[in-house]
Amino acid sequence: MAKVKVIAEIANAHSGDPGQLSALILAAAGSGADGVKFQWFNYGSIATPDFIHYQTYMDLSMDKTLWADAVTLAKGLGLEVWVDIYDEWGVELLTELEDQVDGLKLPTTVLQSKPLIQALKKFNKPLLIGVGGWYEQEMETQVNYIKNNFKGPLILMHGFQGYPTRTEDANLSRIAYFKQKYQLKVGFADHEDGGHEMAVDMPVYAYLLGADLIEKHINMNRSENGIDYYSALEPSEFKLMVDKLRSAESVQGSLEVKESERKYLEDSTLKIVSRKDLRPGELITEEKIIYKRSSVPDAFMAQQAAERFPLISRVAVPANTPITPDKVHEPKICIAVLCRLKSTRLRRKALLPIHGVPSIERCLMNCLAVPNGYQVILATSDLPDDQPLTQFTLDNRVKIVTGDPENVAERLLIAAEATNSDIVVRVTGDNPAISPEMLGFMIEQHVKSGADFTHAKESTMGTVGDVITVEALRRLLQHTDQLTHAEYLSFYFINNPTIFNVNALVLPEKWVYPDWRLTLDEANDLELFEQLYRDLDIGKGPLHFEELKTYLLNNPKVTAINRGNTVKWRDDTLLVHELNEATKLNGL
């Protein structure tokens, strides 16, 4: 909360004596007040002779030169000068001393004077608006009128106007109410009996309840029973009140967390600690961490787990070790499309056009459309026969890598290392309708799970890939057993659950059509894709599964084109048995 402004209300305590006025100004400065407030009026301008206090007004009157001297004295002492304006005479004096006046007040007794409001608005100074005693509807009407006419800052001044105010009539709850309703700052003009113990403390309570400005009467000697003595504080009392307000400011503080408080929290709060040994490159999820107190200063705090993790471990992290930013980084992900031109059933199928665009290019374009814009790599062999594939960079959006013709895992690792990736998505190049939506979903679920390998438990053939943590891929390649069936890479992960953490993902039902075949291996597969892409008139752009699904559901004859085709790794019982046996590894 901002510093509260304390205004010493001199009002009429000067009794018309210039010497007394000067003494009050000096006392206000010595008490620590931020400013003083004078009341400027002339008896002939403020009232008619029949008014009960007319003679008192005459006795209090001082000419304009004396007020000018008082303003000069106050400004020389570093005090702000605020003035109550009651009449035309006060406006005239304000016009003469405008440059030395910091703010104005429209007392509650003249709040209904529209001519006075119009006269004051030209000064464009902060305005205190006295609202004590007005009913809500009356107050709202006047405040809205002032808001529409004034450009300067406005502060509503709450305060019971009876002298002295009974403690139970203070109604400090109205401070917060006014602030919320009118969206203005609110001050408190206190008129508690100056001799009551609450006279010093009431302003402090008001501040703690939201008052931005405190206005309090000051008097040199209350026992003399001079004018405006009822609720005034003597200089020593006024200083005590200011000191208490400054202490309250310190206690109130601000919305900001103190550095010392934050340091204590960081030193003592729960930190993120490894629950198990973590390998370099391992995906660290919330299941792999635990919360404990630690003296490691820059270790992640427990509340950062959800916002920061999963992360990749840069180094080996032993169990029960605080995890610090230097030990981890955000996972980097790439999509590797594995492709060669060795097919015997449909010769050089990756180069065959589908509605004028090579099949492999269709696959690559869909991979480029996966949300978040992951790097796409075409991973082929280093044999001369496969060199035509190295031309498919798609305007340098696709990176090309080459490697061992038979070792798919090795080529995947080359692709990952070429892009410094921690996770690689394996896509086969014979899937020209690979789904950007499904690949994005699988990547997201893989990262959340912290798995080594994620595959779809059931899917629409040709629309999904596998997601592999590169650290697990390295472990597979470093295994003592030879990878005799590397072309069927997924079997090595799925058949070794004690070595690899496998995430068998259940895709949303809306994406699963197990009777559809959307892979390219036979002539009638090509016929299906040609009709599909031609009818949808897909040019050189991606095809999303929702569009494809709508078309196929409305054209069941198209899905019937290749329905009789078999899949070796799924339908050949002998081959499946051989793969399951051959891909079981000895423990690492």
Side-chain angles (χ1 to χ4, degrees):
M1 191 169 177
K3 180 175 182 281
V4 62
K5 189 184 294 291
V6 181
I7 303 296
E9 167 68 276
I10 290 179
N12 298 305
H14 53 76
S15 300
D17 178 0
Q20 184 78 344
L21 177 59
S22 296
L24 287 165
I25 295 170
L26 290 166
S31 72
D34 297 299
V36 290
K37 186 159 71 66
F38 307 131
Q39 292 186 356
W40 285 351
F41 59 84
N42 178 269
Y43 59 90
S45 181
I46 194 174
T48 58
D50 64 291
F51 186 60
I52 188 172
H53 296 305
Y54 189 78
Q55 182 59 50
T56 301
Y57 292 160
M58 292 182 66
D59 296 339
L60 292 170
S61 291
M62 290 191 293
D63 64 36
K64 293 178 180 178
T65 58
L66 292 175
W67 280 119
D69 290 342
V71 169
T72 300
L73 175 61
K75 298 299 286 186
L77 294 169
L79 293 169
E80 293 183 3
V81 172
W82 292 70
V83 290
D84 285 328
I85 302 296
Y86 289 90
D87 56 20
E88 293 178 356
W89 185 90
V91 173
E92 292 173 3
L93 180 54
L94 176 61
T95 302
E96 295 177 18
L97 303 176
E98 177 182 0
D99 291 344
Q100 297 184 77
V101 173
D102 297 283
L104 311 175
K105 182 176 180 181
L106 193 65
T108 185
T109 54
V110 295
L111 187 62
Q112 74 275 39
S113 176
K114 290 186 178 180
L116 189 57
I117 292 170
Q118 291 299 321
L120 294 180
K121 75 176 185 179
K122 68 180 180 181
F123 296 101
N124 195 30
K125 291 183 181 294
L127 179 69
L128 308 180
I129 307 170
V131 294
W134 291 101
Y135 291 125
E136 183 103 4
Q137 187 173 353
E138 298 170 324
M139 172 184 163
E140 186 167 347
T141 300
Q142 291 305 112
V143 170
N144 287 337
Y145 179 78
I146 295 170
K147 288 175 74 172
N148 292 333
N149 281 274
F150 265 78
K151 294 182 179 178
L154 302 178
I155 302 177
L156 297 181
M157 290 302 294
H158 169 60
F160 191 93
Q161 296 303 298
Y163 292 84
T165 303
R166 294 185 306 168
T167 302
E168 58 268 29
D169 289 335
N171 287 337
L172 296 185
S173 62
R174 292 174 70 81
I175 294 172
Y177 172 72
F178 287 157
K179 293 187 86 162
Q180 192 278 330
K181 179 171 183 177
Y182 294 100
Q183 296 297 298
L184 294 172
K185 288 186 175 182
V186 176
F188 179 58
D190 181 35
H191 297 109
E192 177 74 43
D193 184 342
H196 195 285
E197 61 181 8
M198 288 296 290
V200 169
D201 292 333
M202 187 72 76
V204 178
Y205 299 155
Y207 164 70
L208 292 173
L209 288 170
D212 301 284
L213 181 147
I214 298 297
E215 178 187 300
K216 186 75 174 179
H217 283 262
I218 190 168
N219 185 286
M220 296 304 295
N221 187 342
R222 196 168 48 250
S223 65
E224 293 180 355
N225 293 354
I227 296 175
D228 285 337
Y229 78 93
Y230 309 99
S231 57
L233 296 178
E234 295 179 3
S236 61
E237 297 168 332
F238 202 100
K239 185 178 187 307
L240 176 61
M241 179 198 72
V242 172
D243 290 344
K244 286 192 172 188
L245 281 167
R246 299 308 175 214
S247 295
E249 287 173 346
S250 178
V251 172
Q252 182 84 315
S254 68
L255 297 178
E256 296 180 1
V257 176
K258 299 290 185 182
E259 184 177 342
S260 57
E261 183 182 7
R262 183 65 181 182
K263 186 177 186 307
Y264 172 80
L265 179 63
E266 290 177 350
D267 288 346
S268 303
T269 193
L270 296 175
K271 303 291 181 67
I272 293 176
V273 173
S274 53
R275 184 184 290 273
K276 57 182 281 292
D277 289 343
L278 300 172
R279 294 178 291 267
E282 184 171 351
L283 193 55
I284 309 173
T285 59
E286 290 193 60
E287 291 73 26
K288 298 178 184 179
I289 58 180
I290 193 170
Y291 308 140
K292 295 184 179 183
R293 289 188 174 186
S294 166
S295 294
V296 175
D298 55 343
F300 289 110
M301 291 193 291
Q303 66 267 32
Q304 294 176 296
E307 79 182 64
R308 296 299 304 271
F309 288 79
L311 293 171
I312 292 289
S313 177
R314 293 179 186 271
V315 295
V317 180
N320 203 37
T321 300
I323 298 178
T324 53
D326 62 302
K327 291 184 172 67
V328 293
H329 65 259
E330 295 283 339
K332 187 173 182 181
I333 301 167
C334 70
I335 301 173
V337 178
L338 296 161
C339 188
R340 291 190 57 199
L341 298 176
K342 67 172 187 175
S343 173
T344 55
R345 286 188 295 274
L346 192 60
R347 181 170 169 73
R348 298 168 75 83
K349 61 184 178 182
L351 304 179
L352 296 176
I354 298 175
H355 191 44
V357 177
S359 170
I360 186 60
E361 189 168 338
R362 294 282 185 200
C363 179
L364 292 169
M365 285 189 295
N366 276 17
C367 290
L368 287 167
V370 174
N372 295 317
Y374 302 112
Q375 174 67 62
V376 176
I377 306 114
L378 175 56
T380 188
S381 85
D382 50 15
L383 296 177
D385 287 349
D386 289 323
Q387 288 310 294
L389 291 170
T390 63
Q391 305 305 310
F392 287 92
T393 64
L394 275 60
D395 298 324
N396 295 317
R397 290 181 295 160
V398 175
K399 189 177 184 67
I400 307 296
V401 300
T402 61
D404 190 296
E406 304 303 328
N407 196 329
V408 170
E410 185 179 286
R411 267 189 284 146
L412 272 181
L413 184 59
I414 291 171
E417 290 179 340
T419 54
N420 294 316
S421 294
D422 307 291
I423 296 170
V424 59
V425 183
R426 174 188 177 236
V427 171
T428 54
D430 52 6
N431 292 335
I434 192 78
S435 165
E437 307 100 305
M438 295 186 206
L439 289 185
F441 178 77
M442 293 187 73
I443 291 169
E444 179 184 325
Q445 296 304 310
H446 178 83
V447 171
K448 285 182 179 178
S449 71
D452 294 323
F453 179 83
T454 294
H455 69 107
K457 198 169 184 180
E458 189 174 24
S459 66
T460 303
M461 182 179 293
T463 60
V464 297
D466 299 323
V467 189
I468 310 168
T469 299
V470 174
E471 181 275 329
L473 186 61
R474 287 196 179 98
R475 270 190 287 137
L476 176 62
L477 285 166
Q478 292 165 4
H479 199 279
T480 54
D481 288 6
Q482 185 179 357
L483 304 186
T484 56
H485 293 72
E487 182 180 357
Y488 300 98
L489 184 63
S490 59
F491 280 81
Y492 283 99
F493 290 101
I494 295 170
N495 287 328
N496 294 282
T498 60
I499 299 175
F500 301 109
N501 177 10
V502 176
N503 178 25
L505 185 62
V506 177
L507 293 177
E509 194 173 316
K510 64 179 180 178
W511 289 341
V512 179
Y513 291 85
D515 294 335
W516 293 355
R517 175 186 165 93
L518 297 174
T519 191
L520 181 59
D521 202 34
E522 307 280 357
N524 55 3
D525 295 329
L526 182 62
E527 181 185 348
L528 180 149
F529 282 119
E530 180 65 29
Q531 186 164 337
L532 168 68
Y533 274 90
R534 185 180 64 244
D535 289 352
L536 289 174
D537 195 22
I538 304 294
K540 285 199 171 186
L543 172 60
H544 289 83
F545 185 76
E546 290 302 319
E547 184 179 6
L548 178 153
K549 179 177 79 170
T550 300
Y551 170 81
L552 291 180
L553 289 175
N554 290 324
N555 296 275
K557 289 184 179 179
V558 176
T559 59
I561 291 174
N562 63 355
R563 186 166 293 157
N565 292 0
T566 59
V567 182
K568 285 177 59 178
W569 57 264
R570 185 191 65 185
D571 302 326
D572 187 332
T573 305
L574 291 176
L575 176 60
V576 171
H577 177 75
E578 178 187 338
L579 289 174
N580 284 331
E581 291 301 316
T583 56
K584 291 177 182 176
L585 303 173
N586 295 315
L588 288 176

